[in-house]
Every structure is written in structure tokens, then in C-alpha cells.
Amino acid sequence: MEHILSSFHSLDSPVFHRPLPLHRRPRWPRMGSSTPHHRNNQNKTKLIVIMGATGTGKSRLSIDLSTHFPHSQIINSDKMQLYNGLDITTNKIPLPERKGVQHYLLGEFDSIDADVEPSQFRSAAGSTIADIASRGNLPLLVGGSNTFIHALLVETFDPQVDVFAESSSVSRALRYDCCFLWVDVAWSVLSEYLCIRVDEMLDSGMLEELAQFYDPTKAGVMVGLRKAIGVPEFDAYFRKYQPWESPENGVVPNKDRDQSRREAYEEALREIKDNTCRLAKRQIGKILRLREGGWDFTRFDATATFQALMKKKQSSAVAAPELEWREIWEREVVEPSVKIVKRFLEE
């Protein structure tokens, strides 16, 4: 851990990243058989865990922390982002935004028509954390799939037990020395932002990506990557209006059909926004469940950041609002997170 702390950068220091080695796609294992500091954590691997609902800035914070702790490496814990494909639809962080930071388990599972079970994730992510730590680097677990996070972190995992059911209890015995960072946003602000984000994803090519992914022989199949929000909603749309039906492909425009097509499109869009908000609510509920079970979270309120960010999106003045939301994010989320992580690593 001294290796990591020796390279800690102050909030004002410039950072230069060394080139990182190419990551070899791991071989996925078959299914195998509060406070987290209630036990002696001296011999446990230290792990930073960044949690939060979809769209709250977890990936952004992980990159910001990696800037201050340049030996950090990131393990994805978002279920849909494990799969290879649909990068826009699943909101994978684009390569340029990763700033040279090594990411693991991000788009590395090729069998898109099979579910990744929590026990599989526990094995794959556990091996990845051990490998990162063995080379003197700092593992950061980042993602919103709390069922997978729980499966990975608890000392004893029973795949037959749903710890998020009311009749179950959450274990406080963890197999890592964890520093939990919870990025939260007021629901009224987050729900509005999530709807804006869906519109931006469509502007970025989500519809075209889903059109290429569409397979009429798999209509109604809900497994693996096909569970990603956007796939079933637009599958229903494509069943009525095949992706290849367009004037460019020789289909004659029809006013009534075009109106029906627009209505079907708007319905798919509404369903995506509604289902995204439902997902965020479920994620928040599971985080609260883990906290009630004794997991020691530090909560960061990023509401002001997202209010400023949406103000920027709605404003014609670019420079000032852009600076405003970044300054708020740095002051209210990044800087206190850096202090907490530094103190955690020194323990």
C-alpha cells in the first residue's frame, strides 16, 4: 500500500500516466459452489467500492480518483456492461474518457445469449482483484449491479438466498477491507436527468446500434445482453417496422404508416425512460438495504452538480455553465472522496 500512497497526487498536482499493459480477455469460470471493519482487516486486500444508481456519475468519479491515485485499476460491476456489444445502449464509458486507466470485465463476456450468474461474477472479479493487488495496484470496483457487488464482497455467498428479500439478512462479514463511496442524487433531479440521457443516447446512435443488433428470430428472448434496457422496447418497435424499411431502401413513404411509426417510436422511447427510472429506484433500494444491514457507506450528494449540468444543457451560454458544474463536482464529490480514500489507505 506504500507503493500506492507514494504516488498519491495532491488536488493541484499534474498527473502523468504510464502506459498500461494490454488486458487479455479472461476465461470465465463455471458456476461454483454493520460495519465491514468489525473484524481485523489487516491482512485483507483494500478495495474501493463506488456505488450508486444508474446515471449518478460513478464512472466519472472512478476516473477522477484514478487521476489522484495513478496505480488504480477499475473492475466493472455493471451486469449489462460485462457483455461485448451495445456500447451506447449499455452506457459503457468511451475509450477516450477512460484516460488510459485499465478497465477489467468491461465488454469482455462474449456469450451474449447466456446470463452471467452472481457466482460467476464473484469468481471472475475475485480473481481480477487478487491479480491487481498482487502487482501493487489499487482495485476500484465500479457499477450499479448491487446483487453482483454483494455476491463478490461477502465472505460466504449462498446463490440460493436473495439477501434483498425482506425475510433475509445482510451479512456484515466481508472478504475485503472496503471503502464504500455512494454517489447519490435527489430523485426529482435524477429522474429528469435520466430522461435527458436517454435522448442523448439516441442522438449518439443508440437506435442504429439496436437496429443492427435486432434479430427477428430472437423476438421475446430475455436472456443475457438482450435484457439491456432498450433491447426489448425497440424489439417490439422493429417487429412492426423492420430496420430495413426506409425510403433509402426503396420503401415508398406512406403518411398513415409514417404517423403510426412515429407513435410506435415514441412509445418505445417512453418505455425506455420509464424502465430506466424503475431500475434506478431498485438500485437505490438495494443500496439502502445494504446500509441497513451494516455496510458502512459514505454518501456524496451530487444533486447540485446535476442541477448545474442540466442547466448547461438547456443554456445557450456554453463556457460558464460548463465550468460551474465541474467546479461543484470537484468540490462536493471528488475532493472529499480523495481525502477519504487517502485516509483509508493510510489505515
Side-chain angles (χ1 to χ4, degrees):
M1 201 54 62
E2 291 179 359
H3 168 62
I4 296 171
L5 285 171
S6 65
S7 58
F8 168 74
H9 290 267
S10 71
L11 297 173
D12 300 319
S13 300
V15 176
F16 302 94
H17 289 290
R18 293 180 179 176
L20 291 167
L22 292 175
H23 174 55
R24 181 167 52 88
R25 185 183 299 274
R27 180 175 295 180
W28 283 76
R30 298 180 181 273
M31 286 185 59
S33 46
S34 133
T35 71
H37 297 83
H38 71 287
R39 296 181 57 180
N40 183 0
N41 288 325
Q42 185 175 357
N43 296 322
K44 292 185 178 181
T45 298
K46 286 185 178 288
L47 176 66
I48 311 300
V49 184
I50 302 177
M51 304 178 71
T54 183
T56 53
K58 300 181 296 297
S59 294
R60 182 184 302 277
L61 179 57
S62 69
I63 297 300
D64 288 339
L65 285 178
S66 298
T67 299
H68 296 288
F69 302 91
H71 292 282
S72 303
Q73 297 189 344
I74 295 170
I75 306 108
N76 165 57
S77 58
D78 182 291
K79 186 185 302 183
M80 291 298 109
Q81 292 183 3
L82 292 172
Y83 297 99
N84 181 26
L86 294 185
D87 291 359
I88 299 172
T89 303
T90 60
N91 271 293
K92 293 187 182 75
I93 182 171
L95 191 60
E97 295 180 16
R98 300 179 197 177
K99 297 183 178 179
V101 179
Q102 182 75 39
H103 283 64
Y104 295 90
L105 307 188
L106 185 65
E108 294 180 359
F109 190 56
D110 291 317
S111 299
I112 62 173
D113 289 322
D115 285 328
V116 178
E117 300 296 336
S119 55
Q120 287 178 286
F121 179 77
R122 175 181 171 91
S123 297
S127 298
T128 302
I129 291 170
D131 181 56
I132 291 172
S134 70
R135 290 181 275 110
N137 296 320
L138 176 64
L140 274 66
L141 184 70
V142 184
S145 296
N146 299 297
T147 300
F148 278 20
I149 292 171
H150 172 269
L152 168 66
L153 299 186
V154 292
E155 284 190 350
T156 303
F157 172 65
D158 184 350
Q160 304 301 318
V161 176
D162 179 7
V163 299
F164 297 104
E166 292 184 4
S167 59
S168 300
S169 60
V170 175
S171 174
R172 299 169 64 184
L174 307 183
R175 59 175 179 162
Y176 303 103
D177 184 8
C178 296
C179 175
F180 291 100
L181 308 177
W182 171 21
V183 187
D184 195 21
V185 178
W187 179 249
S188 60
V189 175
L190 179 60
S191 58
E192 181 181 356
Y193 171 75
L194 290 175
C195 292
I196 293 173
R197 190 179 71 162
V198 171
D199 291 332
E200 292 177 340
M201 290 162 62
L202 286 163
D203 290 341
S204 299
M206 177 180 173
L207 181 62
E208 292 76 12
E209 181 179 76
L210 288 169
Q212 293 179 1
F213 185 76
Y214 175 65
D215 182 350
T217 67
K218 299 292 180 66
V221 175
M222 292 285 288
V223 67
L225 187 57
R226 299 186 186 281
K227 290 181 178 179
I229 294 177
V231 174
E233 294 85 353
F234 269 111
D235 269 6
Y237 170 78
F238 291 137
R239 283 198 295 272
K240 292 182 179 179
Y241 307 99
Q242 281 73 26
W244 50 86
E245 288 187 357
S246 67
E248 291 80 4
N249 294 328
V251 177
V252 179
N254 178 285
K255 183 177 179 180
D256 291 338
R257 182 172 175 82
D258 289 348
Q259 177 63 27
S260 298
R261 185 173 189 143
R262 168 54 58 180
E263 291 174 355
Y265 174 86
E266 294 295 341
E267 176 61 24
L269 181 57
R270 281 193 297 271
E271 289 180 359
I272 289 173
K273 292 179 177 180
D274 289 346
N275 289 334
T276 301
C277 290
R278 292 189 187 101
L279 170 64
K281 280 190 174 181
R282 290 196 301 271
Q283 291 171 326
I284 293 170
K286 289 183 178 181
I287 290 172
L288 293 174
R289 172 77 169 159
L290 294 173
R291 186 176 67 171
E292 291 167 359
W295 289 29
D296 189 15
F297 297 158
T298 300
R299 176 181 174 271
F300 300 95
D301 188 348
T303 301
T305 296
F306 281 80
Q307 288 174 324
L309 179 58
M310 288 190 292
K311 179 181 176 182
K312 175 215 177 266
K313 294 178 183 296
Q314 298 164 356
S315 173
S316 57
V318 177
E322 175 78 15
L323 183 62
E324 181 183 359
W325 79 261
R326 289 187 181 277
E327 286 180 340
I328 296 172
W329 174 258
E330 285 287 333
R331 182 178 66 250
E332 298 188 357
V333 180
V334 178
E335 292 180 8
S337 294
V338 169
K339 291 177 182 177
I340 287 172
V341 171
K342 184 174 185 294
R343 184 166 62 245
F344 168 73
L345 296 177
E346 290 172 341
E347 293 177 350

